Amino acid sequence: MNTILIDTQQNNDTVWLAEAAGILRSGGLVAFPTETVYGLGGNALDPEAAKKIYAAKGRPSDNPLILHIADMEALSGIAKEIPPMAEKLADAFWPGPMTMVFEKRPEVPDATTGGLPTAAVRMPAHPTALALIRAAGLPIAAPSANLSGRPSPTTAAHVWEDLHDRIPMILDGGPCGIGLESTVVDVTGEVPVILRPGYVTREMIAEVCGACAVDPAVEHPTEGMRPKAPGMKYRHYAPKAPLTLVEGEAKAAAEKIASLAAEAAGKGLRVGILGTEETAALYRELLPEAVKDRIRVQVIGSRKDPSSVARNLFAALRAFDETGEEELFGETFPTDHLGFAVMNRLEKAAGHKKIQA
Ligand code: AMP
Ligand code: MG
């Protein structure tokens, strides 16, 4: 299948919107930008479209899809009931990077929800995504537009890398502003429960609802717990080379990473380091000249601005695959606020391999 790539910033809506909506209405797939990551969209009410999404991504079919909507009216067609806490959260964070899990109505097919009696719903805050959903006149099921297991795509080039020739159309709206997937919140119980951390933090949700719990499997994923968001149990976000995280205060961690990197490079390996603006100069100082040409430091952002780290993280992980480093080391971040989501993705990318500085 030939894939059409359309730059939505250079082309007027009239060039692509009707065609993209037509593909969705006839059961086909369109990849599109959102403020979090790129999504791979299909008609959420059509089980055949859901099957195409799973096939294109190579995704296990028990991992449910998020339904994307453009207005609150569409929510009533999906959710059996809209609890008061969901109304509050929607008021506070929609359109935006937060997904809510509701008891589903029977119209939502099992193929979309991976057989679950619940449906996850989000109203994205991206003009291209909203225009597409409105033009299609449907809820759009859209997981991240990457091959299953790879880092999520934050540019159309990442989507192209993974999915060209597998889907008919990719809309290029430039790089995603947030760069991490949405926060998934279960609103079917007494208090909101975070099933997947994201840009909307536990602290922000607690401020709106008075309380916010976190599914225990998010924080203790290696202890045989069954996460309530099925996707959380899969290997995810992983670069091709093994990644080890080094915990500790930034300077101590950088020193430890520099010595581990020098040791690996001394054995002839090509080494990648996930560093920050605050530590970049330290690596330049600490890495021995003899092995420097085998070590690449990728700066992902500033420790003073966690959103810069979130925005660049997936692109950095993909870049290591491109440049072919064989052993990777990464710094860690405090787990409050947005750091909770950043560390959740980093730990998954590292397969939970962590050492102390
Ligand atoms: P992605 O499609 O890659 O953004 O991942 C969507 C995430 O939402 C996965 O972790 C899913 O398991 C989770 N999810 C989707 N629908 C539900 C649901 N009905 N209940 C719980 N988690 C869900
Ligand atoms: Mg994904």
Side-chain angles (χ1 to χ4, degrees):
M1 177 187 305
N2 274 337
T3 305
I4 307 169
L5 177 67
I6 295 173
D7 186 331
T8 61
Q9 292 169 313
Q10 298 297 322
N11 290 286
N12 193 281
D13 283 11
T14 51
V15 175
W16 57 269
L17 189 53
E19 191 180 344
I23 293 174
L24 292 171
R25 272 199 303 274
S26 60
L29 307 185
V30 176
F32 60 93
T34 82
E35 78 279 26
T36 58
V37 303
Y38 273 74
L40 175 59
N43 178 357
L45 303 179
D46 174 2
E48 294 308 314
K51 281 186 203 154
K52 282 186 196 166
I53 291 177
Y54 288 111
K57 279 178 63 80
R59 175 170 176 142
S61 61
D62 70 340
N63 186 2
L65 308 175
I66 293 173
L67 287 77
H68 290 70
I69 58 173
D71 49 57
M72 286 305 279
E73 208 184 308
L75 182 60
S76 325
I78 297 168
K80 209 184 252 177
E81 190 196 342
I82 303 170
M85 83 173 100
E87 306 238 7
K88 281 193 203 163
L89 289 171
D91 276 349
F93 302 118
W94 275 2
M98 182 205 58
T99 296
M100 288 190 277
V101 174
F102 299 91
E103 306 282 342
K104 80 171 181 73
R105 289 174 64 101
E107 293 88 325
V108 182
D110 283 346
T112 300
T113 65
L116 291 177
T118 51
V121 188
R122 178 163 100 88
M123 192 188 293
H126 192 291
T128 305
L130 290 171
L132 183 64
I133 298 163
R134 285 197 188 105
L138 293 163
I140 301 299
S144 49
N146 52 292
L147 287 176
S148 196
R150 295 211 71 203
S152 298
T154 54
T155 66
H158 297 158
V159 182
W160 181 268
E161 230 167 70
D162 281 15
L163 297 181
H164 75 271
D165 296 342
R166 289 172 170 251
I167 58 174
M169 186 179 276
I170 299 171
L171 300 176
D172 180 356
C176 300
I178 289 179
L180 287 187
E181 304 87 341
S182 60
T183 310
V184 178
V185 192
D186 183 350
V187 293
T188 62
E190 294 289 308
V191 294
V193 182
I194 292 183
L195 307 186
R196 173 178 75 181
Y199 194 81
V200 172
T201 64
R202 178 197 330 210
E203 292 86 349
M204 288 156 77
I205 293 171
E207 201 173 305
V208 171
C209 294
C212 177
V214 178
D215 181 16
V218 171
E219 288 173 287
H220 308 284
T222 48
E223 289 160 32
M225 285 189 207
R226 233 187 127 70
K228 279 190 79 183
M232 297 292 284
K233 70 176 178 278
Y234 291 108
R235 188 179 144 88
H236 232 120
Y237 316 119
K240 288 176 188 148
L243 166 66
T244 304
L245 301 178
V246 177
E247 276 190 315
E249 175 274 320
K251 184 160 178 276
E255 283 166 358
K256 178 80 176 181
I257 288 172
S259 90
L260 290 168
E263 192 186 321
K267 292 184 199 148
L269 292 175
R270 292 169 62 197
V271 181
I273 295 176
L274 267 180
T276 50
E277 282 170 21
E278 288 77 7
T279 52
L282 262 179
Y283 292 117
R284 278 194 295 276
E285 247 169 62
L286 292 168
L287 292 170
E289 282 305 325
V291 292
K292 249 183 188 160
D293 60 335
R294 286 200 288 282
I295 303 175
R296 189 170 72 80
V297 180
Q298 173 106 22
V299 170
I300 50 173
S302 162
R303 294 184 160 272
K304 294 189 202 90
D305 175 15
S307 66
S308 64
V309 175
R311 189 161 51 245
N312 297 319
L313 178 60
F314 288 143
L317 293 175
R318 279 179 179 258
F320 287 124
D321 289 352
E322 293 283 305
T323 43
E325 278 80 18
E326 297 152 299
E327 180 87 50
L328 308 176
F329 299 98
E331 297 173 19
T332 61
F333 299 88
T335 55
D336 55 350
H337 302 282
L338 185 52
F340 189 46
V342 167
M343 282 310 299
N344 172 264
R345 305 308 192 272
L346 261 177
E347 295 206 3
K348 278 173 165 274
H352 306 287
K353 201 146 52 107
K354 248 188 326 191
I355 58 171
Q356 293 299 320

